[in-house]
Amino acid sequence: MGSSEERVVAVIMVGGPTKGTRFRPLSLNIPKPLFPLAGQPMVHHPISACKKIPNLAQIYLIGFYEEREFAIYVSSISNELRIPVRYLKEDKPHGSAGGLYNFRDLLMEDSPSHIFLLNCDVCCSFPLPEMLEAHRRYGGMGTILVSKVSAETASEFGELVADPETNELLHYTEKPETFVSDRINCGVYVFTPDIFNAIQGVSTQRKDRANLRRVSSFEALQPVNRSLPTDFVRLDQDILTPLAGKKQLYTYETMDFWEQIKTPGMSLKCSGLYLAQYSSTSPHLLASGDGSKTATISGDVYIHPSAKVHPTAKIGPNVSISANARIGAGARLISCIILDDVEIKENAVVIHAIVGWKSSIGRWSRVQGVGDYNTKLGITILGESVLVEDEVVVINSIVLPNKTLNVSVQEEILL
C-alpha cells in the first residue's frame, strides 16, 4: 500500500452534446451523463466508485457541455459525498489524452501521486482501490482495467494482449479488423503523473514531423497530409499502442460485469446491472412489497420516494421509477425505466421500455419491446410528453417528444 501522504485525483470524461446522438431521443432533454440508471445519474455511478479510492483529493468531470448544465448536479454530489467535484469545459476537442493534458496544471494542484481516468459511458463495478493496489505492485506508469468478452464482439473495442505472469501490456490495437484477443480495454485507467510527459512527447513528435514536412522538398511534392493537430492526442492509438511492450503499462482484469452505454437499449440493460449490484452495495435503495399494503415487488426495483405506486400494481424485475411518477391500479411493469412525472394508468403494461418525462400511458394500454438491447428497435422508447391513449399497443418503436398515439404501432420510428 502507498504512503498515507499520497493523494489521488480522479477524472471522468463526460463527452458532449455532439457525442450523444445515438442516445436520442433521450439526450434531447438531458445531457447523457445525467440520464438516470437505477435511479441515479449515469455519471453518479463512477463518481460514487471514486469515493472509495484511498486519499482521494478531488474529482474532475471533463467535457464539452455548458457548465450550467452540470452546475446543480456537481454542487449536490459534492455535498452528498463530501468530496470536491468540479466540472471543466474543454474549449475544443483535444482527444482523450489531450483533454487530460489540457488541464494538467489544475489536476496537479493537489500534487497527486496517481490520477484515475474513467469514461462516463462505462457500466461496471469499478474496482478502483484494487486497481490502485495492483498498479503500485506493478510499478509502471499506467494500469488499464480489462475484461474478457466473446471473440465475436471483441473487435468493437480496443483489444490487447498481456503477459499472463506479470500482466504487462504487450500489444494494443483499437477496433482491429482481424481477431487479436478476447481481452478488451474497459475505459478505466490509473496513471502516475508521468502520463503527462508521454502525452507531451506525442505533441512534440507531431510538431517535429510538421516542421520536417515543411522543409523537405520530397514531402512538399506529396499530396497534403491530413495530419492531426499537435495538441490532439488519443489515449488508445497515440499512448497505449506505442508504449505496449515497454514495461510501462499493465493490466488489471475485472471478473464482474462490464458494458458500454452507447444507446438507450444499453442504458436499460445497465440500469438492471446497477440495480442488481445494489443488493450487495446499497440494499436500502431497493424497494420491497408483497401486495398487501404496498405494490408487489419482484426482483431488483428502485422507486423514488416521491413516486406513488398503487398497492395492486406489480413491479419488477429490473424497474426504476423516478420522481413524482404515478403508477395506477393493476399496472404491470417489467424491465423498464419510468422517468419523472410519468403517469401509468390502470391495468397498463410496460415491458422492455423507457418512458420519457411527463408521458402518460392510458388504461389497458401496452408499451413493450422485444428486449434486445443491441438493436435500434429492441426496446420501446417514448420521448418527453408522449400521450398513449387508452387501449393502444406500442411495440418495438421509438416515439419522439410531444406525440399523441391513438392507434397501435409496431416497429416504427415516429418523428
Side-chain angles (χ1 to χ4, degrees):
M1 295 296 290
S3 157
S4 60
E5 299 301 313
E6 291 185 346
R7 308 193 81 188
V8 180
V9 298
V11 176
I12 302 173
M13 306 301 274
V14 299
T18 56
K19 297 282 187 180
T21 53
R22 279 187 284 177
F23 211 68
R24 291 174 182 165
L26 303 173
S27 57
L28 296 173
N29 293 80
I30 190 172
K32 178 182 166 185
L34 298 182
F35 183 79
L37 305 180
Q40 303 285 357
M42 185 185 297
V43 72
H44 180 93
H45 299 281
I47 287 177
S48 57
C50 289
K51 168 77 172 169
K52 297 173 184 173
I53 301 169
N55 304 319
L56 180 70
Q58 184 129 227
I59 299 171
Y60 296 93
L61 311 181
I62 296 179
F64 297 102
Y65 294 99
E66 294 299 327
E67 288 185 45
R68 58 181 165 71
E69 297 188 80
F70 277 82
I72 294 172
Y73 175 73
V74 163
S75 173
S76 67
I77 194 67
S78 298
N79 291 333
E80 181 186 330
L81 297 183
R82 297 181 182 177
I83 288 281
V85 179
R86 184 173 176 185
Y87 178 75
L88 304 174
K89 184 179 184 292
E90 288 195 77
D91 57 342
K92 64 175 183 177
H94 292 93
S96 45
L100 196 68
Y101 187 78
N102 187 45
F103 293 109
R104 64 195 179 281
D105 292 340
L106 269 174
L107 301 180
M108 291 304 296
E109 271 183 358
D110 292 298
S111 303
S113 60
H114 295 88
I115 300 158
F116 272 90
L117 178 63
L118 299 83
N119 283 300
C120 176
D121 62 355
V122 163
C123 167
C124 68
S125 60
F126 297 105
L128 306 183
E130 295 86 348
M131 267 187 84
L132 182 58
E133 200 173 325
H135 172 76
R136 285 178 168 138
R137 284 199 311 272
Y138 300 150
M141 181 183 75
T143 298
I144 307 165
L145 187 69
V146 307
S147 180
K148 182 179 180 180
V149 298
S150 68
E152 293 75 33
T153 60
S155 63
E156 298 171 19
F157 309 102
E159 295 182 29
L160 53 89
V161 177
D163 185 304
E165 299 296 324
T166 64
N167 294 320
E168 183 197 350
L169 180 70
L170 300 177
H171 179 72
Y172 183 88
T173 180
E174 185 69 17
K175 297 177 182 174
E177 292 183 7
T178 56
F179 178 75
V180 174
S181 166
D182 58 3
R183 267 31 178 219
I184 62 156
N185 175 3
C186 290
V188 178
Y189 315 86
V190 57
F191 295 109
T192 65
D194 291 336
I195 185 65
F196 294 124
N197 296 330
I199 298 168
Q200 187 179 28
V202 174
S203 294
T204 303
Q205 202 173 43
R206 285 228 184 98
K207 284 176 188 167
D208 292 344
R209 281 182 192 149
N211 291 334
L212 186 63
R213 275 199 295 273
R214 279 196 289 273
V215 300
S216 164
S217 57
F218 174 77
E219 287 280 355
L221 294 172
Q222 304 307 306
V224 176
N225 291 318
R226 297 186 66 186
S227 55
L228 291 166
T230 55
D231 61 350
F232 187 92
V233 183
R234 303 158 299 181
L235 189 60
D236 34 33
Q237 294 102 316
D238 298 327
I239 302 293
L240 304 186
T241 298
L243 290 183
K246 295 184 178 175
K247 299 194 183 306
Q248 295 195 58
L249 300 173
Y250 292 81
T251 63
Y252 181 84
E253 186 166 351
T254 176
M255 301 302 173
D256 279 345
F257 63 91
W258 182 87
E259 296 288 350
Q260 202 170 21
I261 316 165
K262 293 296 186 187
T263 62
M266 286 310 298
S267 74
L268 181 53
K269 179 178 184 179
C270 292
S271 187
L273 291 170
Y274 281 136
L275 285 170
Q277 189 183 32
Y278 284 170
S279 58
S280 57
T281 63
S282 309
H284 64 283
L285 292 176
L286 293 175
S288 60
D290 59 6
S292 54
K293 292 184 179 179
T294 56
T296 301
I297 305 293
S298 60
D300 301 315
V301 172
Y302 169 84
I303 301 175
H304 191 275
S306 65
K308 291 181 171 55
V309 181
H310 196 277
T312 61
K314 293 187 176 181
I315 314 292
N318 180 19
V319 173
S320 175
I321 300 175
S322 299
N324 302 310
R326 300 175 303 288
I327 314 299
R332 183 71 178 104
L333 275 56
I334 301 172
S335 184
C336 58
I337 296 174
I338 308 299
L339 295 169
D340 295 358
D341 303 303
V342 164
E343 182 175 18
I344 297 175
K345 295 183 179 176
E346 297 87 70
N347 301 304
V349 175
V350 181
I351 303 174
H352 299 307
I354 298 174
V355 182
W357 306 265
K358 301 174 188 166
S359 291
S360 175
I361 298 175
R363 296 168 183 83
W364 296 100
S365 288
R366 190 177 193 92
V367 174
Q368 183 170 349
V370 72
D372 184 346
Y373 302 119
N374 295 304
T375 59
K376 191 165 190 176
L377 296 178
I379 70 166
T380 287
I381 304 164
L382 306 185
E384 183 184 28
S385 299
V386 170
L387 171 60
V388 179
E389 295 192 348
D390 294 351
E391 300 181 27
V392 169
V393 178
V394 185
I395 303 288
N396 297 342
S397 295
I398 297 174
V399 185
L400 266 67
N402 305 305
K403 295 281 181 283
T404 296
L405 299 183
N406 52 19
V407 293
S408 296
V409 294
Q410 182 169 348
E411 295 184 353
E412 288 193 39
I413 299 175
L414 300 176
L415 302 176

